[in-house]
Amino acid sequence: MKLLIDADFIVYKACAAAETEIDWGDDVILVTSKFSDAFKAATREISKLKGHFMWDIPSVILFFSDSKNFRKEILPDYKGHRNRKKPCGYKRVINELKKSYEVIVMPTLEADDAMGIYSTKHPGCTICSPDKDMRQIPGNLYNMEDFTLISETDGAKWHLVQSLSGDQTDGYAGLIGVGVKRATTLFESKGYSWKTVVDAYVEKGFTEDDALLNARLARILTVDDYDFETRKPIPWTPKANYRVDDGAGSKIKATI
């Protein structure tokens, strides 16, 4: 078994915790960090994750986001509010981890997308990430608190929910005034379909293009959303009758 770990989250937290501020007065504050403390914190967290799987000692792959992000080509303001620089020692800790662990960074992709692609190309892995976006990816998910088995149907439904609700932390709004609870209620009433998404946007005075932009921003890539020859994402484009069916033998109809 392989653990696919959102190492962006782990290393950022470890490095931020290792920072210390020294106030020199006269409007000068110096930020310092001890590399060994940051590195030990990161490796300790990785070991802790492995400890949850003692019945089947796993191998580990660490995933990091690329410095460039393809979603900014869709929406230039995507994550535009996250302007804070990485904490001290961030890159150095990653370089040191590469000596002991397999590390994957895919061009223009976030760690979430790289994990989604790898997991759907190599079923049977367990994704370790606190990001709720990963509920789109079918398979085993450990959100740092609980284990969940995500079905293909559940993953497709969650993508549609996020296409409506958006994600303020990532800087795309979805349909204004519609959160996760309201979106879920709407889908449960009218069905999990692309038509439900488009109708909701149109009712608020928006267009299908607006709906598609948010759906593409929300989409966590799978093996079907990536061109391995060009090393570029394939834009998510649903057919007009795209829907997610429930019940025994449930499956996605009219997929991309």
Side-chain angles (χ1 to χ4, degrees):
M1 179 180 65
K2 290 185 179 180
L3 297 187
L4 314 184
I5 298 178
D6 178 358
D8 276 341
F9 166 75
I10 288 175
V11 174
Y12 191 100
K13 184 173 69 171
C15 290
E19 286 187 340
T20 301
E21 291 186 355
I22 302 175
D23 190 343
W24 292 98
D26 296 327
D27 203 31
V28 177
I29 298 176
L30 177 67
V31 178
T32 65
S33 177
K34 190 174 181 180
F35 167 75
S36 59
D37 288 346
F39 182 70
K40 287 177 182 177
T43 55
R44 184 167 56 247
E45 191 64 28
I46 293 169
S47 296
K48 186 188 300 183
L49 283 173
K50 292 179 67 176
H52 288 290
F53 300 84
M54 293 305 294
W55 64 88
D56 184 7
I57 299 176
S59 58
V60 167
I61 304 178
L62 307 181
F63 289 80
F64 293 94
S65 300
D66 189 34
S67 58
K68 295 183 179 180
N69 192 324
F70 80 94
R71 287 183 177 83
K72 287 188 175 293
E73 298 179 7
I74 302 173
L75 182 69
D77 289 338
Y78 179 76
K79 288 190 175 179
H81 60 294
R82 296 189 183 183
N83 293 321
R84 186 184 186 280
K85 72 175 186 65
K86 293 292 193 294
C88 293
Y90 185 82
K91 289 184 178 180
R92 185 178 174 187
V93 169
I94 293 175
N95 288 333
E96 192 67 22
L97 288 171
K98 289 179 179 178
K99 298 177 182 179
S100 302
Y101 297 96
E102 181 179 356
V103 169
I104 292 180
V105 182
M106 298 179 71
T108 76
L109 302 190
E110 298 180 59
D112 292 354
D113 300 300
M115 287 189 293
I117 292 169
Y118 190 99
S119 179
T120 50
K121 186 177 182 181
H122 305 282
C125 300
T126 295
I127 291 175
C128 299
S129 171
D131 196 328
K132 63 183 182 300
D133 296 347
M134 300 315 297
R135 289 168 57 186
Q136 293 184 29
I137 303 301
N140 300 310
L141 173 64
Y142 178 61
N143 69 355
M144 310 305 186
E145 293 182 358
D146 301 302
F147 292 92
T148 306
L149 178 60
I150 309 294
S151 69
E152 183 180 3
T153 299
D154 290 338
K157 284 182 175 182
W158 186 243
H159 172 234
L160 291 180
V161 168
Q162 291 192 298
S163 298
L164 273 183
S165 64
D167 191 331
Q168 297 298 328
T169 61
D170 285 342
Y172 69 97
L175 186 57
I176 303 298
V178 178
V180 170
K181 289 185 178 180
R182 188 171 177 183
T184 302
T185 299
L186 182 64
F187 285 119
E188 292 294 335
S189 172
K190 298 188 176 182
Y192 284 85
S193 69
W194 182 241
K195 183 179 185 302
T196 300
V197 175
V198 174
D199 287 350
Y201 274 88
V202 171
E203 185 177 333
K204 292 282 188 177
F206 296 97
T207 67
E208 183 170 1
D209 287 341
D210 295 316
L212 185 57
L213 181 144
N214 281 279
R216 286 176 172 174
L217 291 171
R219 180 76 170 181
I220 301 301
L221 304 185
T222 70
V223 68
D224 295 324
D225 303 311
Y226 191 72
D227 188 324
F228 287 89
E229 291 187 5
T230 63
R231 304 183 76 184
K232 292 183 178 181
I234 300 171
W236 189 77
T237 307
K239 294 182 179 179
N241 60 338
Y242 174 88
R243 70 183 188 277
V244 183
D245 287 348
D246 285 315
S250 61
K251 57 184 178 180
I252 300 170
K253 298 287 189 178
T255 54
I256 59 174

